[in-house]
């Protein structure tokens, strides 16, 4: 397994992380046994970073990860690092009702996460979206107090803009920024990524396969099941979907020339954007995990990268990455 360091102050982690959200929420039904087997397989393969959110399935995802950690080997448990997002407010019907970044809430969320995960500490802790009613300095300050108390090891951020990144880093060391970054979501390149690099903050990139859209496995006539939030995602709708899958077809030609899958090529492109970037892959099954790990063996030279970006130019995607109601919560888009 290759490794990378999250910024100048963060931990050394596997070059690919496992994003566990889909094992509990937002992509329809998942197989619990297969999910745990996939986490075990990831750890066995040397993946050390497991990413979750306390609101994924209203705690279900943390309980799932906790079970997987309890039932793996002692060596795997020792090397596993947890990255946890907090702050999203849910209701009993599964709805969303904002974000809470108050210091007291930060510590409350952490207490519950530690219990569900069954770990002595959280390795990287971050608010999922900035609370517009609470200065980021106060939220980060509360996490810093958790670090001082030994409950958290490192401070992370999620979906913030360059100015917020600077303000947060002025309070305490920030290990990494978790933010969407893929061939068809390149908005961070103009201001956010350069600022992160200036400040010595790493990037954990989620959505590297754009929720399966550029995985090479999403069919043009695929019907999404109930509970799959892609049914409301602009990039998966009508003409947008067909346009975006045309981009995938172009990418497939490049991938075939490299003897790789579309997913491996898309992941390898993100890996090639810098040693300070760690892609998170949202595999829910062992076969998808195995495919994703194959990206680590794919070397892209300058000609390959040019061919990939010719197939999928920056800004070529049709549709926003979230519906308008969710885009409004993204500090990174302001």
């Amino acid at each position: 397994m290759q490794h990378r360091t999250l910024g100048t102050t963060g931990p050394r982690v596997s070059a690919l992380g496992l994003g566990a959200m889909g094992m509990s929420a937002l992509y329809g039904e998942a197989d619990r046994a297969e999910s745990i087997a996939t986490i075990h397989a990831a750890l066995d393969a040397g993946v050390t970073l497991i990413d979750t959110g306390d609101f994924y399935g209203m705690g279900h995802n943390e309980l799932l990860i906790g079970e997987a950690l309890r039932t793996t080997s002692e060596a795997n448990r020792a090397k596993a690092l947890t990255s946890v997002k907090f702050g999203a407010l849910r209701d009993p019907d599964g709805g969303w009702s904002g974000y809470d970044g108050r210091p007291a809430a930060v510590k409350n969320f952490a207490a519950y996460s530690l219990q569900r995960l069954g770990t002595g500490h959280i390795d990287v802790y971050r608010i999922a979206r900035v609370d517009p009613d609470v200065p980021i300095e106060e939220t980060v300050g509360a996490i810093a107090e958790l670090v001082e108390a030994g409950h958290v090891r490192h401070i992370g951020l999620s979906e913030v803009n360059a100015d917020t990144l600077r303000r947060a880093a002025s309070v305490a060391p920030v290990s990494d920024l978790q933010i969407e970054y893929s061939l068809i979501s390149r908005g961070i390149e103009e201001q956010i990524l350069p600022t992160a690099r200036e400040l010595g903050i790493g990037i954990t990139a989620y959505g590297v396969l754009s929720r399966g859209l550029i995985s090479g496995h999403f069919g043009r006539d695929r019907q999404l099941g109930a509970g799959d939030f892609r049914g409301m995602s602009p990039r998966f709708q009508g003409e947008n979907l067909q346009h975006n899958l045309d981009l995938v077809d172009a990418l497939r030609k490049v991938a075939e020339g490299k003897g790789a899958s579309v997913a491996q090529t898309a992941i390898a492109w993100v890996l090639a954007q810098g040693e300070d970037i760690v892609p998170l892959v949202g595999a829910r099954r062992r076969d998808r995990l195995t495919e994703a790990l194959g990206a680590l063996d794919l070397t892209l030279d300058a000609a390959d990268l040019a061919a990939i970006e010719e197939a999928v130019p920056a800004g070529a995607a049709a549709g926003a990455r979230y519906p308008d109601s969710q885009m409004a919560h993204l500090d990174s888009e302001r």
Side-chain angles (χ1 to χ4, degrees), residues 143-217:
I143 305 175
E145 291 178 3
L146 290 170
V147 172
E148 185 176 357
H151 302 305
V152 169
R153 292 282 171 83
H154 302 280
I155 301 169
L157 293 167
S158 176
E159 287 288 355
V160 303
N161 64 33
D163 177 64
T164 303
L165 199 58
R166 290 187 187 280
R167 289 169 50 204
S170 72
V171 175
V174 174
S175 67
D176 67 303
L177 167 63
Q178 188 173 121
I179 195 162
E180 185 167 355
Y181 188 39
S182 73
L183 270 168
I184 63 170
S185 295
R186 296 178 60 177
I188 73 170
E189 293 177 344
E190 184 176 347
Q191 293 185 352
I192 296 173
L193 182 55
T195 301
R197 286 175 167 161
E198 175 192 336
L199 298 171
I201 296 171
I203 298 291
T204 43
Y206 77 88
V208 294
L209 296 179
S210 300
R211 301 159 186 86
L213 181 58
I214 60 171
S215 67
H217 300 297

Side-chain angles (χ1 to χ4, degrees), residues 24-26 55-59 88-99 227-229 232 326:
S24 297
L26 302 178
F55 49 92
Y56 293 166
M58 284 71 82
L89 303 176
R90 308 295 302 272
D91 64 37
D93 296 319
W96 304 81
S97 52
Y99 296 89
D228 192 322
F229 86 107
M232 298 181 292
Q326 295 181 40

Side-chain angles (χ1 to χ4, degrees), residues 5 17 30 40 100 124 181 196 204 213 222 239 249 260 296 300 311 322:
T5 302
H40 286 169
D100 193 343
V124 188
Y181 188 39
T204 43
L213 181 58
R222 179 172 172 178
E239 293 183 1
D249 288 340
L296 294 168
L300 302 176
Y322 287 105

Side-chain angles (χ1 to χ4, degrees), residues 9-331:
T9 64
R12 187 83 170 156
V13 300
S14 51
L16 287 182
L18 179 65
M21 180 185 76
M23 298 177 179
S24 297
L26 302 178
Y27 287 95
E29 291 294 323
D31 184 309
R32 184 181 186 87
E34 180 62 22
S35 295
I36 291 174
T38 300
I39 295 172
H40 286 169
L43 292 168
D44 289 341
V47 173
T48 62
L49 184 64
I50 303 177
D51 184 77
T52 185
D54 63 9
F55 49 92
Y56 293 166
M58 284 71 82
H60 177 278
N61 204 235
E62 290 181 319
L63 290 168
L64 183 78
I65 292 169
E67 180 178 347
L69 292 177
R70 286 195 307 275
T71 54
T72 191
S73 68
E74 183 177 347
N76 279 348
R77 277 195 302 277
K79 69 184 180 183
L81 302 174
T82 53
S83 168
V84 179
K85 291 179 291 297
F86 68 88
L89 303 176
R90 308 295 302 272
D91 64 37
D93 296 319
W96 304 81
S97 52
Y99 296 89
D100 193 343
R102 295 171 302 143
V106 173
K107 295 173 182 179
N108 178 77
F109 289 132
Y112 282 90
S113 287
L114 288 165
Q115 178 67 27
R116 286 188 290 257
L117 289 167
T119 55
H121 64 272
I122 296 166
D123 291 285
V124 188
Y125 203 46
R126 70 188 88 239
I127 190 165
R129 300 288 186 267
V130 174
D131 182 344
D133 297 323
V134 178
I136 192 64
E137 292 87 347
E138 294 185 16
T139 302
V140 168
I143 305 175
E145 291 178 3
L146 290 170
V147 172
E148 185 176 357
H151 302 305
V152 169
R153 292 282 171 83
H154 302 280
I155 301 169
L157 293 167
S158 176
E159 287 288 355
V160 303
N161 64 33
D163 177 64
T164 303
L165 199 58
R166 290 187 187 280
R167 289 169 50 204
S170 72
V171 175
V174 174
S175 67
D176 67 303
L177 167 63
Q178 188 173 121
I179 195 162
E180 185 167 355
Y181 188 39
S182 73
L183 270 168
I184 63 170
S185 295
R186 296 178 60 177
I188 73 170
E189 293 177 344
E190 184 176 347
Q191 293 185 352
I192 296 173
L193 182 55
T195 301
R197 286 175 167 161
E198 175 192 336
L199 298 171
I201 296 171
I203 298 291
T204 43
Y206 77 88
V208 294
L209 296 179
S210 300
R211 301 159 186 86
L213 181 58
I214 60 171
S215 67
H217 300 297
F218 199 93
R220 291 182 182 272
D221 299 319
R222 179 172 172 178
Q223 298 298 309
L224 296 171
D228 192 322
F229 86 107
R230 291 174 294 186
M232 298 181 292
S233 173
R235 288 182 176 172
F236 288 82
Q237 307 306 310
E239 293 183 1
N240 285 353
L241 176 62
Q242 301 308 316
H243 170 85
N244 293 331
L245 291 179
D246 287 343
L247 297 176
V248 175
D249 288 340
L251 181 60
R252 182 175 283 107
K253 294 178 182 177
V254 180
E256 290 173 348
K258 294 290 295 181
S261 72
V262 174
Q264 289 168 342
T265 305
I267 296 167
W269 180 88
V270 177
L271 282 164
Q273 301 313 300
E275 288 290 322
D276 54 350
I277 299 173
V278 175
L280 300 171
V281 295
R284 300 197 294 172
R285 301 184 341 223
R286 284 168 286 181
D287 59 336
R288 293 288 193 253
L289 172 68
T290 299
E291 179 185 20
L293 291 173
L296 294 168
D297 298 320
L298 181 59
T299 300
L300 302 176
D301 60 23
D304 296 326
L305 293 170
I308 290 169
E309 295 191 23
E310 181 179 357
V312 187
R321 55 194 182 104
Y322 287 105
D324 289 345
S325 60
Q326 295 181 40
M327 290 291 287
H329 292 293
L330 295 178
D331 181 76

